[in-house]
Amino acid sequence: MKLTLPFAFFIIISFSAFSQTFTVSGKITDEQNKPVPFASIYIKNTTRGTSANSEGEYGLLLKPGTYEVQYKAVGYKQQSRKVELTKNQAIDIVLQTETYQLNDVVVKSGGEDPAYAIVRKAIKARKGHLNEVDAYTCEVYIKGLQKLLAAPKRFLGFDVQKATREMGLDSNRRGIVYLSESESKYSFKRPDNVHEELISSKVSGSNQVFSYNRASDIQVNFYENIQNWGGLSLRPLVSPIADNAMFYYNYKYIGFTTENGETVDKIKVMPKRGYDACFQGYIYILEDSWRLYGLDLFITKKQNINFVDTLKVSEQFFPVSRQAWMPSSVKFEFTGGLLGFKIGGYFISVYKDYDLNPTLNKKEFKEVMRVTKGSNKKDSTYWANERPVPLTDEEKTDYEKKAILAKKRESKPYLDSLDKVNNKFSLLDLTYKNYRHVNRYEHEYYNLDAILPSIRFNTAQGFNLNYGASFSKLVDSTNNKYLTVGARAGYGFSNKKFTGSIYAGIPAGEYNLGFSAGSEVVDLNYYTPMSPLINTVYSLFERQNYEKLYQKQYLSASASRRITGGWMASGYVEWADRKALTNTSNYSFFSPGNHNYTSNNPFTPNLDVPMFADNQSFKIGLRTTYDFSDKYETYPTGRRYLPSKYPTIGLSYTKGIKSIFGSDVDYDLLTADVSKSNINAGVLGQTSFFIGAGKFLNNNSLFYPDYKQFQGNQVLFSHTGINSFLLLNYYTNSTYTKYIEGHIEQNFSGFFLNKIPLIRKLKLQEILDINYISTPALKNYTELGIGIQYLNFRLMYGKSYNSGSNTNSAVRIGVSF
């Protein structure tokens, strides 16, 4: 025992010394002693490094040894320090502003700027650099911060001061509203296969949620011709070294410098036209290889970006091998404001430990993202050792303060106190807004509809009340599934008839089940193309009753689930007792142009006779869709499948069965459709299409509600969709035989509108719709629409060719919402 203990102690001490790590830390400033934010710090000839924080502070954790540490930032001259690391060391660095020389460069008056020759070589080399790495893996650290810089005390009756105080902001309504860090293992394989595993995640103010930082979201590759930044930019942005960049950009040569024995050219890039989808700023190009060495670019509202006014992107590269340079860091900074609110912030990603020859299995890339349970439970000790970018004092305070608030917010007394304040009931408030009673601790929610919006008007019921209440409860927190039950009650003051229904949505394992029963007055068109509110307005103020209705008493059940991957299936069964309705009210506030109400039968507008005989129906419906998607994201709550780049195929079958529970219907309807939304069309924008066709295999006995309906529109306000027509009558073109329809929608990027001063000023976007339908009831109908998307203002022109009638033409101005 006397020998064993000293020996064991010696082993422990030896192992501790071997595994010991030390920190190189300090602050990076410029000549004026101002911090250089987000400078890159890397060990020479390795891919291990870090980034300074927004105050220029850095920390790099290393094992004992001798290192050459390189410090660089865009626009500054690189510096190196040789470090013999046997203990923690503090090294402050002063980076000198880079001086770019113009030796031997002569720019003649009227001659081409030397930058163009350099950019042409970079464009020529672009494709080679794009494809020089076939696959790689790396580790990515991302930090995101968003701050509220200014806000009014109140906004539209909302107490902003109180809300920001509860969020932990200061008395001036300023401070951090989002702070998060994450670490990921990132894998890439050409052409576009990505797999990301979230290793750790930390969100200020909550230990229950996961960071929405994603390495794939912050990835940018300016060797690609265009940059598609999703919802951030309304149109794809053209790279300064795209194949067609000379058409979009002007270039100015700033000068050259030498780093690590290589010549770096600095070039200013400017859009040729102010509203083109282009960047402004600087790119840095290595001579001889003509690759990007770094970039510092920005876009503004002129480029039609969403959410923010200005977005800056900075990227630095370093050599991972003799032939390949990879990003060392990418930073996005943004500022914006609207209606007295001002925001600002940044996202920065730091890359390390690149492997350019990984062993990857193609099947791995079916899972695009994996967030494992527990990745958001790492403690402060873990983050102190793993965090490559030091926290600022403000960020440390935010974590500490919001950790206390989070613990308080999760307690039952606090949640009950919030509920007590927010659940106050007022009959006066209920007249114009919905009431919601919440039990946050039990995850229970009670809802009552507002009274005034529940009062409607139609000519079949007159003024009528359609009031609803519902209850929902979280029953599966792992998969975020809710049990929902509700009821609606109604009364028509003109036809003096009550209606009422109940419904329920029940999660059951892989299935979502639905049940409903009752009596309702419903639209003859099962798409319900016009809302009851819009019909009320047109009826009372314009004396135009577009909506046509019937009454049904029914009992129905439905089920849906994902079969596998992109394969979805659903089905329903319904029994209904259906009665046609006629007008019972002729009331309106006004009667402009001597308008007269039409019949509730759209086929006999001047004669109010029942549209169909009273009947009963029993039918079953099945639908399945497949979008060829085999990619998904895995979360602790389950998988989320991603949309496919291929079209979605749909197949539906509806059968009306005679004699069951007195059913009078006997028909079979088979339909098929192919659709795809938001197909990337490069600088032209995005294209969407829908093609559908169907046939009644058997139409022995059916009534108008069983017909194939179409989404038409005849009013100023419309709810547009990929398979909707803006000029089509709601009812008269339905069919009980066969049909084919097609829709193409093209959202232009805005390039074609840049020369129109009004549109440039309003920052609007053009949209083109071409729609076609053919049925026996409507031989041919084509619609061409050109409009403005952002305000959803459309000037539409269309022609319809109806059997047995003359050609009809119409011009309609519409506002979509």
Side-chain angles (χ1 to χ4, degrees):
M1 180 63 73
K2 289 181 180 181
L3 292 175
T4 303
L5 284 175
F7 180 74
F9 184 73
F10 172 77
I11 293 296
I12 292 171
I13 293 297
S14 299
F15 179 78
S16 176
F18 179 76
S19 62
Q20 181 76 47
T21 57
F22 299 110
T23 301
V24 180
S25 61
K27 188 168 185 177
I28 303 173
T29 58
D30 61 14
E31 304 100 310
Q32 283 76 43
N33 200 34
K34 294 181 179 179
V36 179
F38 307 111
S40 292
I41 304 96
Y42 272 85
I43 306 303
K44 187 176 182 179
N45 298 324
T46 75
T47 64
R48 184 163 184 82
T50 186
S51 172
N53 63 21
S54 58
E55 296 179 357
E57 300 166 339
Y58 76 95
L60 186 59
L61 199 64
L62 299 167
K63 291 180 179 180
T66 301
Y67 302 92
E68 184 172 347
V69 184
Q70 295 183 326
Y71 302 83
K72 67 176 185 176
V74 173
Y76 294 89
K77 191 171 184 63
Q78 177 181 294
Q79 289 208 30
S80 297
R81 289 289 187 275
K82 196 166 187 178
V83 179
E84 292 185 6
L85 203 59
T86 57
K87 61 180 182 179
N88 294 336
Q89 291 193 34
I91 302 177
D92 293 334
I93 297 294
V94 177
L95 293 181
Q96 304 293 323
T97 301
E98 186 65 86
T99 302
Y100 291 89
Q101 305 175 47
L102 285 169
N103 294 350
D104 303 323
V105 175
V106 178
V107 181
K108 297 180 180 179
S109 178
E112 185 181 69
D113 192 285
Y116 286 85
I118 296 170
V119 172
R120 286 191 185 96
K121 292 176 181 178
I123 292 173
K124 186 177 180 180
R126 177 196 68 82
K127 196 170 183 179
H129 296 317
L130 176 66
N131 298 312
E132 66 188 1
V133 175
D134 182 63
Y136 68 88
T137 62
C138 65
E139 292 184 16
V140 187
Y141 165 85
I142 301 176
K143 180 162 73 172
L145 179 142
Q146 297 175 31
K147 298 176 69 174
L148 188 61
L149 305 176
K153 288 186 177 181
R154 298 187 69 85
F155 181 73
L156 297 178
F158 179 72
D159 191 340
V160 178
Q161 182 80 27
K162 178 183 176 183
T164 54
R165 186 170 60 249
E166 292 176 352
M167 293 168 60
L169 277 62
D170 65 24
S171 59
N172 293 317
R173 303 166 301 284
R174 293 184 300 217
I176 296 174
V177 294
Y178 174 80
L179 172 61
S180 177
E181 300 172 276
S182 65
E183 293 178 302
S184 297
K185 180 77 173 180
Y186 187 78
S187 302
F188 172 84
K189 184 174 178 60
R190 293 207 171 277
D192 56 1
N193 295 302
V194 167
H195 173 74
E196 182 177 356
E197 181 178 357
L198 190 69
I199 299 170
S200 55
S201 169
K202 183 176 178 67
V203 179
S204 180
S206 177
N207 59 2
Q208 302 297 323
V209 301
F210 295 90
S211 167
Y212 63 72
N213 301 344
R214 297 289 185 269
S216 51
D217 290 341
I218 206 170
Q219 281 277 333
V220 292
N221 190 340
F222 282 86
Y223 291 120
E224 297 280 0
N225 280 321
I226 57 176
Q227 310 298 303
N228 285 301
W229 288 0
L232 183 63
S233 176
L234 302 172
R235 44 186 173 150
L237 297 154
V238 181
S239 168
I241 58 169
D243 289 340
N244 59 345
M246 294 286 182
F247 178 75
Y248 291 95
Y249 286 96
N250 290 321
Y251 302 91
K252 182 179 179 181
Y253 185 71
I254 303 301
F256 74 91
T257 188
T258 302
E259 286 194 5
N260 300 321
E262 298 191 80
T263 301
V264 181
D265 294 309
K266 181 179 181 179
I267 295 171
K268 185 176 182 179
V269 300
M270 301 156 286
K272 284 184 180 289
R273 295 158 293 273
Y275 290 88
D276 275 354
C278 299
F279 297 91
Q280 302 176 59
Y282 298 93
I283 58 174
Y284 300 81
I285 296 176
L286 278 177
E287 289 196 8
D288 297 329
S289 63
W290 311 111
R291 68 170 69 249
L292 290 172
Y293 182 76
L295 55 90
D296 196 1
L297 303 170
F298 69 93
I299 53 177
T300 69
K301 279 293 185 182
K302 288 184 177 181
Q303 281 68 51
N304 285 344
I305 56 177
N306 286 327
F307 311 119
V308 297
D309 296 330
T310 301
L311 177 69
K312 298 179 180 179
V313 56
S314 299
E315 187 170 19
Q316 297 186 51
F317 299 84
F318 67 156
V320 177
S321 69
R322 295 184 63 182
Q323 288 78 31
W325 287 56
M326 301 295 288
S328 60
S329 66
V330 178
K331 177 188 63 174
F332 285 90
E333 291 182 273
F334 54 88
T335 57
L338 182 67
L339 300 175
F341 292 88
K342 293 184 180 180
I343 61 167
Y346 67 83
F347 282 85
I348 183 170
S349 58
V350 180
Y351 302 84
K352 68 176 183 179
D353 296 341
Y354 279 100
D355 181 358
L356 302 187
N357 297 290
T359 301
L360 298 173
N361 186 336
K362 190 175 181 179
K363 293 182 179 179
E364 294 177 17
F365 295 105
K366 289 184 178 181
E367 183 183 60
V368 175
M369 182 77 194
R370 170 173 286 273
V371 178
T372 55
K373 190 175 183 179
S375 58
N376 61 341
K377 305 298 182 184
K378 304 296 176 69
D379 59 21
S380 57
T381 303
Y382 171 88
W383 282 103
N385 291 327
E386 293 296 324
R387 177 185 292 119
V389 180
L391 297 176
T392 65
D393 290 340
E394 182 185 28
E395 291 164 353
K396 292 176 184 176
T397 301
D398 190 73
Y399 271 136
E400 293 168 0
K401 182 168 60 175
K402 289 183 180 175
I404 297 172
L405 287 174
K407 187 175 182 180
K408 177 183 176 182
R409 287 171 182 157
E410 292 168 6
S411 67
K412 188 176 187 303
Y414 177 81
L415 294 175
D416 289 346
S417 68
L418 282 182
D419 292 342
K420 184 177 181 180
V421 173
N422 295 323
N423 290 341
K424 288 182 179 179
F425 178 80
S426 167
L427 186 59
L428 179 63
D429 289 344
L430 187 63
T431 59
Y432 64 92
K433 68 179 181 179
N434 295 346
Y435 171 73
R436 193 180 196 210
H437 184 95
V438 177
N439 185 331
R440 288 175 170 83
Y441 192 77
E442 298 292 339
H443 302 287
E444 295 177 348
Y445 308 90
Y446 302 82
N447 298 278
L448 296 175
D449 288 353
I451 297 173
L452 285 179
S454 300
I455 300 174
R456 305 163 179 176
F457 178 86
N458 61 67
T459 53
Q461 294 177 286
F463 283 100
N464 61 91
L465 178 69
N466 189 1
Y467 191 79
S470 64
F471 165 79
S472 61
K473 179 178 175 61
L474 181 67
V475 294
D476 183 351
S477 58
T478 301
N479 297 296
N480 199 36
K481 292 186 176 182
Y482 286 81
L483 166 70
T484 301
V485 295
R488 304 198 70 82
Y491 180 73
F493 291 94
S494 179
N495 68 347
K496 296 180 173 51
K497 290 184 178 180
F498 288 95
T499 58
S501 61
I502 58 173
Y503 61 89
I506 304 171
E510 297 294 325
Y511 290 88
N512 291 311
L513 305 180
F515 300 94
S516 60
S519 174
E520 292 184 2
V521 172
V522 296
D523 200 309
L524 282 167
N525 187 324
Y526 49 69
Y527 284 115
T528 313
M530 170 178 279
S531 74
L533 174 61
I534 297 300
N535 182 70
T536 297
V537 172
Y538 268 88
S539 297
L540 295 178
F541 290 89
E542 290 288 328
R543 202 171 176 80
Q544 292 180 306
N545 57 328
Y546 289 103
E547 189 178 42
K548 308 303 178 184
L549 306 161
Y550 76 100
Q551 185 164 4
K552 71 172 183 177
Q553 293 177 314
Y554 69 97
L555 177 66
S556 69
S558 65
S560 63
R561 66 159 295 174
R562 183 182 299 276
I563 304 300
T564 181
W567 185 12
M568 304 287 291
S570 62
Y572 73 91
V573 57
E574 180 192 77
W575 174 88
D577 181 26
R578 306 181 298 195
K579 291 180 171 58
L581 297 177
T582 56
N583 289 343
T584 63
S585 176
N586 198 40
Y587 180 80
S588 66
F589 295 155
F590 305 101
S591 182
N594 296 317
H595 289 171
N596 290 314
Y597 282 133
T598 59
S599 162
N600 194 55
N601 184 336
F603 292 93
T604 59
N606 299 317
L607 184 62
D608 204 8
V609 296
M611 186 174 184
F612 53 84
D614 294 352
N615 66 88
Q616 295 180 329
S617 75
F618 182 84
K619 60 182 178 180
I620 59 173
L622 302 172
R623 179 164 175 81
T624 183
T625 60
Y626 185 66
D627 70 353
F628 300 91
S629 174
D630 62 351
K631 294 184 182 296
Y632 58 90
E633 297 175 339
T634 303
Y635 297 91
T637 56
R639 286 184 179 180
R640 184 177 78 88
Y641 283 85
L642 302 178
S644 170
K645 61 183 179 181
Y646 301 106
T648 298
I649 297 174
L651 187 67
S652 299
Y653 174 69
T654 306
K655 182 171 182 62
I657 306 176
K658 195 175 181 63
S659 299
I660 295 183
F661 303 118
S663 174
D664 299 306
V665 298
D666 179 11
Y667 66 91
D668 296 87
L669 171 62
L670 182 65
T671 68
D673 53 81
V674 181
S675 63
K676 180 64 179 170
S677 298
N678 302 325
I679 303 169
N680 182 20
V683 295
L684 293 179
Q686 294 181 326
T687 301
S688 301
F689 74 86
F690 178 93
I691 300 172
K695 180 180 176 63
F696 281 85
L697 307 178
N698 153 38
N699 56 7
N700 291 333
S701 177
L702 72 166
F703 302 85
Y704 185 84
D706 305 310
Y707 286 21
K708 165 60 186 174
Q709 317 280 359
F710 299 98
Q711 292 224 53
N713 184 67
Q714 298 172 267
V715 298
L716 177 67
F717 298 95
S718 66
H719 180 75
T720 59
I722 193 174
N723 61 335
S724 65
F725 296 86
L726 287 182
L727 299 176
L728 194 68
N729 185 280
Y730 298 117
Y731 307 102
T732 57
N733 301 302
S734 301
T735 184
Y736 58 90
T737 55
K738 57 188 175 181
Y739 74 95
I740 185 170
E741 62 178 318
H743 309 256
I744 299 175
E745 178 182 280
Q746 176 66 48
N747 287 280
F748 291 114
S749 68
F751 169 77
F752 299 104
L753 302 180
N754 285 339
K755 295 184 179 181
I756 304 176
L758 174 63
I759 294 178
R760 286 208 311 266
K761 183 178 180 181
L762 294 177
K763 301 181 179 68
L764 301 181
Q765 184 177 14
E766 188 174 30
I767 182 171
L768 170 68
D769 291 309
I770 301 174
N771 304 293
Y772 171 81
I773 188 172
S774 178
T775 73
L778 176 64
K779 286 188 175 179
N780 289 295
Y781 176 97
T782 47
E783 173 195 329
L784 172 65
I786 301 176
I788 309 299
Q789 187 184 33
Y790 289 166
L791 296 183
N792 292 326
F793 172 86
R794 293 187 174 191
L795 174 64
M796 306 300 301
Y797 173 74
K799 285 188 176 181
S800 62
Y801 303 89
N802 291 280
S803 58
S805 66
N806 296 325
T807 298
N808 298 315
S809 300
V811 176
R812 183 174 301 280
I813 297 175
V815 180
S816 306
F817 63 95

